[in-house]
Amino acid sequence: MRQVGMNGRGLGCGCLGCGGGTLLVLALLGGLAWFFVIQPARNFLASWQPPAQTQTQGQPQGNAGQNGGAGTAAGAPLTRAEVQQFVRVRREVRQALGTSFTGVQQVWTDIQNGQNPNLLQMMAVLRDAGASVGAARQAQAAALTKEGMSADRYAQVRAAVNRALGLPTVDFAQAAQALQNGQLPDLNSTVQAGGGPDRALVEPFRRELTATAAAGLLGL
């Protein structure tokens, strides 16, 4: 027999009416998702956006036009000069990240050991890095301008370096963008075997590239 309370309401019926308790729980969960997931992702992306890069017309800066320059075609073979440029840019990024790099490094180590990160780990990394990611992006943009390398080519070189070293590729910046768009990000990762034609190019820099590879989690 259906139990009825003193006011004639069935179980689950409160001041908001039948189903009101469920609506309240959903509203609470929605609020928690906003404050602990969506808003941190938005804040990270706002800091992550790179500053506008300016270049005097007809006057390429740094090594623009050489290997890794803005005119390098997508999918072009990796060169030794580009690896050297990448190493120099990564040094600037690592320095700008400061102490927040420690938490990023821990998650990166877990990923290398075959553990896929979860959403809570991702948000913790984004919150910890939020204060310094803006400075890191500025440092990256300045270094890219100095090296004459476009942001797109930098991303291609990063992917090629990771493949050659057998490092996983997980981009929390892209995952944060998915969250902001109301999508559940894919945080699955597979540790690559490494090698290939680019291995000889990156081998002299293996130690440094491996030490700074965690910056790639932040899209850097």
Side-chain angles (χ1 to χ4, degrees):
M1 178 180 295
R2 182 170 176 265
Q3 296 183 6
V4 180
M6 293 181 63
N7 295 324
R9 297 193 186 105
L11 292 177
C13 297
C15 61
L16 297 178
C18 292
T22 301
L23 291 176
L24 186 60
V25 170
L26 291 176
L28 179 60
L29 290 176
L32 290 174
W34 171 261
F35 285 109
F36 293 101
V37 178
I38 304 299
Q39 193 59 35
R42 279 187 156 188
N43 292 339
F44 173 83
L45 289 173
S47 300
W48 187 84
Q49 294 301 321
Q53 290 181 287
T54 58
Q55 183 170 319
T56 305
Q57 186 174 3
Q59 296 292 329
Q61 297 185 21
N63 298 318
Q66 300 179 14
N67 292 329
T72 304
L78 185 67
T79 68
R80 182 178 179 82
E82 286 180 322
V83 175
Q84 294 171 331
Q85 289 174 311
F86 182 81
V87 169
R88 290 192 291 267
V89 173
R90 263 285 172 80
R91 287 172 184 166
E92 299 298 322
V93 169
R94 169 64 184 89
Q95 183 176 358
L97 282 173
T99 56
S100 65
F101 187 77
T102 304
V104 181
Q105 183 69 54
Q106 181 57 56
V107 175
W108 176 259
T109 300
D110 292 341
I111 293 173
Q112 281 187 283
N113 292 333
Q115 301 178 30
N116 288 325
N118 56 48
L119 189 58
L120 292 178
Q121 288 176 310
M122 170 190 154
M123 298 317 301
V125 167
L126 297 189
R127 283 194 298 269
D128 291 343
S132 56
V133 71
R137 285 291 280 174
Q138 290 181 345
Q140 183 191 57
L144 287 175
T145 299
K146 181 179 179 180
E147 297 293 339
M149 178 181 280
S150 70
D152 287 342
R153 184 56 182 172
Y154 178 86
Q156 294 167 17
V157 171
R158 182 181 65 201
V161 167
N162 285 347
R163 283 195 301 270
L165 294 177
L167 300 177
T169 53
V170 180
D171 193 334
F172 282 4
Q174 293 181 358
Q177 185 67 61
L179 283 174
Q180 184 174 260
N181 295 336
Q183 302 170 344
L184 190 64
D186 181 7
L187 298 176
N188 293 323
S189 172
T190 302
V191 179
Q192 307 173 80
D198 297 326
R199 183 171 182 175
L201 297 177
V202 304
E203 192 61 35
F205 310 98
R206 170 181 288 275
R207 178 174 295 182
E208 183 171 3
L209 287 170
T210 303
T212 61
L217 281 179
L218 303 176
L220 297 168

